[in-house]
């Protein structure tokens, strides 16, 4: 019993930390003001007696942590704990202004563009803080303590009559050009895309000095721009020779002595379901009916950890990359091709080493028994999603009955998952049809169907059950074993409240009184807006209220899926955290003690950072291809939907191809428009004309800038 109480208190501790974050965010809005607990509770919209009690508990915790101080009984003041200077990481936005994230402070410090000095995106900086107009805290950069990077991608501009040049960096966050003296041009020609290494930035100089270290090619050309994206994010498109050599020297044979150490499942019907253009198959499903009428479903995952061992060059390279990166026309794999497409790939008619989660499931999709361990399997058939979908829809074709059974079980699991709190965002992804020269000749959208959901549900089941197996004892108490989790925090309460207020203007109601009600409201809202004019706007805002999923060692749960414990176990060919999960699971199956939490936490943080970087690179490649596709449509008029609004303009997305372009406020000639952040709109000062997030508008495509990956549109009346 005491263990249960401790687990409940851990959840309470997390809740108080969350409330503490809301309190410090609220107090930071006016950091010199003294508040009593009622003012604080009202300020964070915690008004009922139970909530106010939690506010009092959170205040005690903040006071104990020295985050706030009690200046007199029941009255509190933010304790900034600064002596005028702070150290943090600087993050620029598109306007040139920046924010500095300081450890220990909930809110970032605003830095006006005129006060950023020689700081660049991601640098560690020393700032001085002050109260702007006696109110909000602002800062100025005093010194750059550490550069986040020294190499940048940009376009070389040669100044002929002076024999020197500049590199104009691609990313807007790098707010200066880099001076290149004559002896450091290294053969680059005017207009070429290059990689430049910044070597010095003398005090008082407007521009840093650099040296061109690689010429990527002519700006705007397909290969040049794709390689520019890879270089910008530091993504290596080739493996070091010694890593390739180590991969090629691996023993590829399926050995009898190794089979003897595993559960042999080669005689059980097994198949893969993947996209038609997939080359690596890291998961397979097996099915057979047991004598008692239940179904044995096996989720079989490529046993990458058998080949990629700690301390090897292969492992070091895989960890460094942490993820495969999927650009529009190519994959930058985490593992060399001999592993990803051959040795570890669960190709049909080949015996493979696998790591499996095997479930006995009844006709109501309830898990009766489970088993985890190393196996050897043999895939009998490779299905594409389209082939599996045809069997679900028609009931015809080989293995149709087995696929129909799994589809029925998957649908029950999906329904149960949604009922238990999963949020069902079901947004389509843009894809391109490319010709032999990688030119975009068409656009289509990837939409999940029953066959996709079938695979997804069994992968989710394996990920959840593996996580629970490690994290819980047989009596369902926490085991305290270190593990790597896929975690997704609850939505930001402030953003949820803003969403609730905004959707009410369209007649939609939301109940955000607790987590369960919030999830139910979000799902109902997403269903209710389907096909409506405001669908895109409300879906976008709902997505923005969500936290980002990351990796960590603290099992705070996965809000979006509605799971208390969740990990990534099912894609070790393309995700390093899955390899970590495999190693930890086997360690605990072998009776090993809990491993060092700090070491796994560091690996989790690195994996999260690389995942974000990969997502940014993938997004850039999609933008580039969309701009390339729209080059052929300059001057044409399209129906679009306003997808984003800012102080300087708004973005319009064309639903039929996903392309997004900017309309600058200065180009709207009929009035002077002002940005209203509360209504996500811009409003004409004289006419009252309004352009709001989600509005349908007619636009003309005016400009397609391949280098900047940007489209410019104009409103058509």
């Amino acid at each position: 019993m005491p263990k249960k109480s401790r687990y409940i208190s851990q959840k309470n501790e997390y809740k108080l930390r969350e409330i503490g974050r809301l309190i410090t965010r609220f107090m930071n809005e006016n950091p010199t003001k003294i508040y009593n607990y009622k003012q604080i509770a009202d300020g964070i919209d915690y008004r009922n007696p139970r909530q106010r009690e939690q506010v009092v508990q959170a205040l005690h915790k903040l006071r104990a942590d020295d985050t706030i101080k009690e200046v007199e009984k029941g009255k509190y003041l933010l304790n900034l704990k600064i002596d005028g200077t702070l150290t943090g990481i600087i993050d620029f936005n598109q306007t040139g202004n920046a924010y500095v994230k300081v450890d220990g402070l909930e809110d970032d410090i605003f830095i006006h563009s005129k006060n950023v000095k020689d700081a660049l995106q991601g640098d560690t900086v020393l700032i001085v803080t002050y109260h702007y107009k006696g109110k909000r805290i602002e800062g100025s950069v005093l010194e750059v303590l550490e550069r986040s990077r020294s190499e940048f991608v940009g376009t070389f501009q040669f100044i002929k009559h002076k024999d020197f040049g500049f590199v104009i960096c691609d990313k807007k966050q790098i707010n200066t050009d880099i001076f290149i003296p004559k002896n450091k041009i290294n053969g680059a020609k005017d207009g070429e895309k290059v990689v430049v290494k910044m070597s010095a930035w003398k005090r008082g100089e407007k521009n840093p000095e650099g040296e061109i270290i690689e010429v990527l090619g002519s700006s705007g050309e397909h290969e040049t721009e794709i390689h520019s994206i890879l270089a910008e994010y530091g993504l290596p498109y080739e493996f070091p020779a010694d890593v390739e050599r180590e991969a090629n020297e691996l023993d590829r044979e399926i050995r009898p002595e190794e089979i003897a150490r595993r559960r042999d499942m080669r005689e059980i019907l097994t198949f893969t379901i993947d996209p038609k253009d997939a080359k690596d198959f890291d998961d397979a499903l097996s099915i057979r009916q047991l004598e008692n009428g239940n179904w044995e479903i096996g989720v079989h995952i490529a046993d990458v950890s058998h080949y990629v061992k700690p301390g090897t060059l292969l492992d070091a390279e895989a960890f460094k990359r942490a993820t495969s990166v999927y650009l529009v026309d190519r994959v930058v794999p985490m593992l060399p091709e001999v592993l990803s497409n051959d040795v570890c790939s669960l190709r049909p008619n080949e015996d493979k080493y696998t790591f499996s989660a095997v479930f006995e499931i009844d006709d109501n999709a309830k898990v009766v028994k489970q088993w985890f361990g190393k196996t050897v399997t043999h895939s009998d058939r490779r299905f594409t999603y389209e082939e599996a979908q045809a069997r679900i829809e028609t009931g015809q074709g080989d293995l149709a009955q087995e696929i129909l059974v799994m589809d029925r079980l998957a649908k029950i699991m999906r329904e149960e998952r949604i009922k238990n709190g999963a949020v069902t965002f079901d947004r389509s992804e843009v894809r391109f049809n490319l010709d032999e020269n990688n030119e975009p000749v068409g656009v289509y959208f990837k939409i999940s169907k029953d066959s996709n959901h079938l695979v997804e549900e069994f992968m989710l089941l394996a990920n959840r059950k593996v996580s629970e197996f490690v994290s819980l004892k047989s009596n369902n108490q926490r085991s305290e074993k270190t593990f790597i989790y896929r975690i997704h925090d609850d939505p930001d309460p402030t953003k949820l409240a803003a969403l609730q207020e905004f959707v009410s203007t369209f007649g939609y109601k939301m109940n955000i009184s607790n987590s369960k009600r919030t999830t139910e409201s979000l799902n109902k809202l997403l269903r209710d807006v389907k096909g409506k004019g405001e669908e895109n706007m409300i879906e976008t805002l709902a997505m923005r209220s969500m936290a980002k999923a990351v990796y960590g060692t603290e099992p705070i749960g996965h809000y979006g899926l509605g799971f208390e414990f969740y990990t990534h176990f099912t894609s070790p060919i393309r995700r390093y955290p899955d390899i970590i999960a495999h190693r930890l699971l086997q360690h605990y199956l072998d009776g090993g003690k809990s491993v060092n939490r700090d070491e796994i936490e560091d690996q989790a943080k690195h994996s999260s950072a690389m995942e974000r970087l990969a997502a940014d690179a993938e997004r850039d490649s999609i933008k580039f291809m969309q701009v390339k596709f729209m080059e052929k449509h300059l001057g044409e008029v399209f129906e679009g939907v306003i997808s984003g609004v800012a102080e300087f303009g708004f973005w319009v997305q064309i639903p039929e191809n996903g392309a997004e372009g900017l309309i600058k406020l200065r180009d709207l000639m009929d009035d002077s428009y002002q940005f209203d952040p509360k209504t996500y709109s811009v409003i004409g000062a004289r006419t009252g004309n309004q352009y709001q997030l989600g509005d349908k508008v007619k636009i003309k495509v005016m400009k397609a800038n391949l280098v900047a990956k940007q489209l410019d549109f104009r409103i058509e009346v």
Side-chain angles (χ1 to χ4, degrees):
M1 273 312 207
K3 299 250 176 172
K4 187 171 184 184
S5 302
R6 194 172 75 184
Y7 178 53
I8 290 169
S9 70
Q10 282 178 341
K11 290 195 81 171
N12 188 49
E13 183 83 357
Y14 174 71
K15 183 66 179 174
L16 292 181
R17 284 205 305 269
E18 179 187 55
I19 296 169
R21 285 198 294 269
L22 293 177
I23 291 171
T24 51
R25 190 179 298 139
F26 168 68
M27 293 179 76
N28 259 315
E29 290 173 7
N30 199 342
T32 57
K33 185 176 176 179
I34 297 169
Y35 298 88
N36 62 38
Y37 95 94
K38 286 183 180 177
Q39 291 170 312
I40 291 169
D42 288 341
I44 66 169
D45 205 25
Y46 269 51
R47 299 176 191 275
N48 68 43
R50 170 66 183 140
Q51 288 176 322
R52 293 206 168 195
E53 181 186 330
Q54 289 176 319
V55 168
V56 171
Q57 291 173 6
L59 285 168
H60 286 313
K61 184 168 173 45
L62 290 171
R63 186 184 166 200
D65 294 344
D66 212 23
T67 303
I68 61 173
K69 50 189 175 184
E70 193 171 14
V71 291
E72 56 183 283
K73 190 165 178 60
K75 295 189 176 179
Y76 303 92
L77 177 66
L78 197 63
N79 184 9
L80 288 174
K81 296 187 287 188
I82 60 175
D83 58 5
T85 61
L86 292 167
T87 299
I89 307 294
I90 194 163
D91 181 26
F92 286 83
N93 61 26
Q94 286 189 322
T95 64
N97 297 326
Y99 290 87
V100 171
K101 185 171 185 59
V102 179
D103 281 345
L105 286 185
E106 288 299 326
D107 283 334
D108 301 340
I109 307 294
F110 176 77
I111 314 287
H112 194 276
S113 57
K114 66 186 179 188
N115 297 323
V116 299
K117 211 173 179 184
D118 59 346
L120 300 174
Q121 176 67 17
D123 288 350
T124 301
V125 294
L126 179 70
I127 61 170
V128 62
T129 59
Y130 51 88
H131 288 90
Y132 179 70
K133 294 183 179 177
K135 293 183 180 178
R136 71 179 185 192
I137 289 183
E138 285 196 13
S140 292
V141 174
L142 289 176
E143 183 184 353
V144 174
L145 301 176
E146 185 182 350
R147 293 282 181 203
S148 68
R149 59 189 294 189
S150 60
E151 294 179 10
F152 305 93
V153 175
T155 303
F156 179 58
Q157 191 175 73
F158 183 58
I159 312 297
K160 264 187 189 174
H161 58 286
K162 294 191 175 175
D163 267 4
F164 61 76
F166 291 90
V167 171
I168 302 154
C169 295
D170 283 1
K171 288 291 177 185
K172 293 276 189 270
Q173 292 99 323
I174 301 169
N175 54 357
T176 186
D177 301 336
I178 299 175
F179 171 73
I180 312 294
K182 182 181 179 181
N183 63 339
K184 292 185 180 177
I185 291 173
N186 291 332
K189 297 183 178 63
D190 184 56
E192 286 189 315
K193 197 62 90 64
V194 299
V195 180
V196 59
K197 186 179 179 70
M198 192 170 78
S199 52
W201 198 338
K202 294 171 186 171
R203 189 177 292 276
E205 292 286 338
K206 183 184 175 186
N207 301 93
E209 186 175 307
E211 176 181 7
I212 292 172
I213 58 172
E214 185 179 358
V215 176
L216 298 170
S218 299
S219 288
E221 288 185 359
H222 180 88
E223 282 300 307
T224 300
E225 294 304 324
I226 293 294
H227 281 284
S228 295
I229 292 168
L230 294 172
E232 176 63 43
Y233 292 101
L235 297 169
Y237 44 90
E238 291 178 342
F239 284 91
D242 51 358
V243 173
E244 288 278 14
R245 186 164 51 250
E246 190 174 272
N248 288 322
E249 289 171 357
L250 288 169
D251 180 8
R252 305 186 200 184
E253 293 296 316
I254 302 296
R255 303 284 179 185
E257 60 272 22
E258 180 61 30
I259 292 174
R261 289 191 282 266
R262 295 169 177 262
R263 179 172 170 176
D264 191 341
M265 300 188 72
R266 288 176 292 178
E267 297 305 313
I268 300 169
L269 175 64
T270 302
F271 51 85
T272 59
I273 306 177
D274 289 283
K276 58 185 173 187
D277 57 352
K279 292 184 176 66
D280 59 331
F281 313 123
D282 53 7
D283 58 79
L285 295 167
S286 67
I287 180 171
R288 67 173 171 176
Q289 190 163 26
L290 302 174
E291 287 182 7
N292 62 6
N294 289 342
W295 299 95
E296 182 190 86
I297 307 287
V299 180
H300 308 290
I301 310 303
D303 188 5
V304 175
S305 62
H306 175 78
Y307 300 99
V308 180
K309 304 286 190 185
T312 61
L313 294 172
L314 260 177
D315 186 54
E317 184 69 19
F319 173 67
K320 178 180 159 188
R321 295 178 180 230
T323 181
S324 294
V325 185
Y326 294 85
L327 305 185
V328 286
D329 66 338
R330 70 198 68 193
V331 178
V332 182
M334 183 180 79
L335 299 171
E337 189 175 329
V338 66
L339 277 167
S340 59
N341 293 3
D342 182 4
V343 180
C344 294
S345 185
L346 307 185
R347 301 187 300 191
N349 306 312
E350 295 179 7
D351 293 349
K352 295 289 180 178
Y353 295 144
T354 41
F355 208 147
S356 301
V358 182
F359 304 103
E360 181 182 335
I361 299 176
D362 67 18
D363 262 341
N364 296 314
K366 298 294 181 195
V367 175
V368 178
K369 286 182 187 173
Q370 61 186 29
W371 178 91
F372 306 103
K374 301 247 181 179
T375 52
V376 57
T377 53
H378 181 100
S379 175
D380 300 289
R381 172 78 152 85
R382 183 217 162 175
F383 286 100
T384 65
Y385 280 117
E386 291 79 7
E387 288 172 331
Q389 186 65 29
R391 280 149 183 78
I392 292 169
E393 291 174 4
T394 67
Q396 303 298 311
D398 60 317
L399 306 187
Q401 294 314 304
E402 288 82 358
I403 288 175
L404 284 169
V405 168
M406 298 182 90
D407 176 60
R408 181 175 60 78
L409 296 173
K411 282 172 177 162
I412 296 171
M413 290 192 290
R414 182 176 170 83
E415 190 178 329
E416 185 75 11
R417 191 163 57 80
I418 293 167
K419 192 170 78 177
N420 289 338
V423 183
T424 55
F425 287 106
D426 217 359
R427 308 195 86 181
S428 54
E429 299 173 32
V430 67
R431 294 285 188 270
F432 298 89
N433 290 316
L434 306 176
D435 66 15
E436 63 277 4
N437 299 315
N438 284 323
E439 293 291 323
V441 293
V443 179
Y444 65 97
F445 291 90
K446 178 187 167 189
I447 299 168
S448 289
K449 295 187 176 181
D450 289 339
S451 58
N452 303 84
H453 293 317
L454 184 162
V455 174
E456 179 186 30
E457 289 305 320
F458 284 107
M459 297 305 128
L460 290 176
L461 177 68
N463 288 333
R464 175 166 63 95
K465 289 297 185 180
V466 163
S467 181
E468 289 175 354
F469 176 76
V470 173
S471 307
L472 296 172
K473 296 178 181 176
S474 56
N475 59 0
N476 276 345
Q477 301 303 308
R478 278 295 310 280
S479 71
E480 304 300 333
K481 287 175 183 169
T482 297
F483 198 53
I484 186 165
Y485 299 95
R486 182 66 168 175
I487 54 180
H488 185 218
D489 209 344
D490 287 358
D492 184 324
T494 309
K495 289 181 180 176
L496 274 180
L499 177 66
Q500 180 189 40
E501 183 181 349
F502 183 70
V503 300
S504 68
T505 62
F506 291 86
Y508 300 108
K509 291 182 179 178
M510 288 184 68
N511 184 338
I512 58 173
S513 58
N514 59 47
S515 184
K516 190 172 188 302
R517 298 286 184 222
T518 299
T519 305
E520 289 171 352
S521 289
L522 277 171
N523 282 332
K524 185 174 187 308
L525 179 66
L526 293 169
R527 284 195 306 271
D528 290 348
V529 299
K530 279 290 176 198
K532 307 275 180 66
E534 62 270 17
E535 176 185 357
N536 187 70
M537 167 180 55
I538 289 176
E539 270 198 355
T540 301
L541 293 176
M543 285 284 285
R544 288 177 187 170
S545 71
M546 296 289 111
K548 281 187 169 61
V550 294
Y551 298 103
T553 56
E554 187 65 34
I556 66 169
H558 195 295
Y559 178 83
L561 294 172
F563 293 156
E564 198 167 353
F565 298 98
Y566 187 67
T567 192
H568 271 170
F569 176 80
T570 52
S571 293
I573 288 176
R574 63 184 180 89
R575 294 187 305 224
Y576 195 82
D578 301 57
I579 297 177
I580 300 171
H582 281 214
R583 288 172 179 166
L584 290 174
L585 175 58
Q586 189 58 52
H587 175 73
Y588 295 133
L589 286 169
D590 292 338
K593 292 182 179 177
S594 184
V595 302
N596 183 285
R597 186 178 295 272
D598 290 343
E599 184 181 327
I600 303 300
E601 182 64 31
D602 286 345
Q603 292 177 343
K605 283 180 178 174
H606 170 74
S607 297
S608 297
M610 293 305 292
E611 179 185 52
R612 285 194 299 273
L613 183 144
D616 288 344
E618 288 164 15
R619 200 175 298 117
D620 273 6
S621 79
I622 290 169
K623 282 182 183 174
F624 167 70
M625 201 59 82
Q626 284 174 326
V627 173
K628 199 170 194 183
F629 180 75
M630 293 303 291
E631 266 189 323
K632 304 161 192 166
H633 300 282
L634 288 175
E636 292 182 26
V637 175
F638 292 87
E639 288 273 356
V641 177
I642 296 177
S643 55
V645 188
E647 290 177 2
F648 51 85
F650 55 90
W651 289 267
V652 175
Q653 187 177 64
I654 302 171
E656 65 194 70
N657 56 40
E660 192 174 57
L662 178 67
I663 292 174
K664 301 181 183 76
L665 293 192
R666 66 170 181 258
D667 292 338
L668 295 173
M669 307 307 292
D670 62 319
D671 204 343
S672 174
Y673 286 84
Q674 296 295 317
F675 172 55
D676 181 0
K678 285 187 178 177
T679 59
Y680 305 95
S681 64
V682 294
I683 302 168
R686 180 175 50 80
T687 61
N689 283 349
Q690 184 180 42
Y691 293 102
Q692 187 176 45
L693 188 72
D695 281 355
K696 289 182 179 176
V697 290
K698 265 189 180 176
I699 59 91
K700 180 182 274 191
V701 183
M702 303 303 296
K703 187 178 177 185
N705 187 331
L706 280 171
V707 177
K709 303 173 188 68
Q710 184 174 306
L711 293 167
D712 286 349
F713 294 163
R714 187 180 75 194
I715 287 287
E716 285 289 292
V717 182

